[in-house]
Amino acid sequence: MTSDKAQAVPAVRLRSDGPVDKDTLDYARTKIDAVVTRPGLPAVSGDVRIVRSATRHADHPWLATADLRVGGRQVVVVAEEATGREVVDQLQDRLRRQTDKAAHAWDDGHRTAVPPWRGGPGSA
């Protein structure tokens, strides 16, 4: 039996490097899914990577990077913080902002116009 409420799982892969604990990865998966499964977004795919530096003297040993395709647009986000939860929260905020921009441009159909010398409007 199928359900109409079933949603497709987003194709966003979460990876980690260094001593990243399972709780931080679960927290990151929850936050990332909250951003990319919002209604109104086009198809989202890509990678999110969380890295914890092994050096103890680093001010911000946690780094998170996201490289996503939202519809036809590429979204790249970087966050750097002192703790795992802080870096995930910062990543979520930046991802939400950038995916909103990409979705808005996708909805409005903003595209770069083809210049006249490449056969666009106004070419004779």
Side-chain angles (χ1 to χ4, degrees):
M1 181 177 202
T2 60
S3 171
D4 291 337
K5 294 182 181 180
Q7 284 186 337
V9 177
V12 176
R13 190 170 61 167
L14 178 62
R15 300 182 307 158
S16 65
D17 288 335
V20 179
D21 57 307
K22 184 181 180 324
D23 291 337
T24 302
L25 289 175
D26 291 341
Y27 184 68
R29 173 51 63 192
T30 303
K31 294 293 191 167
I32 292 164
D33 286 348
V35 171
V36 300
T37 58
R38 293 187 328 246
L41 281 183
V44 178
S45 63
D47 292 324
V48 174
R49 184 174 168 191
I50 298 178
V51 179
R52 183 175 180 193
S53 173
T55 59
R56 297 184 184 269
H57 65 275
D59 290 336
H60 299 290
W62 289 88
L63 174 71
T65 58
D67 184 6
L68 304 178
R69 297 291 297 176
V70 180
R73 299 210 177 252
Q74 183 175 17
V75 173
V76 178
V77 176
V78 177
E80 196 174 354
E81 282 297 331
T83 68
R85 284 197 176 256
E86 288 176 352
V87 78
V88 170
D89 289 340
Q90 187 179 70
L91 180 75
Q92 181 191 24
D93 290 342
R94 291 179 178 179
L95 266 177
R96 183 176 304 274
R97 219 170 325 153
Q98 293 299 322
T99 55
D100 284 347
K101 285 181 182 179
H104 179 71
W106 178 73
D107 284 343
D108 289 345
H110 291 144
R111 307 255 186 313
T112 305
V114 178
W117 60 88
R118 291 202 175 152
S123 61

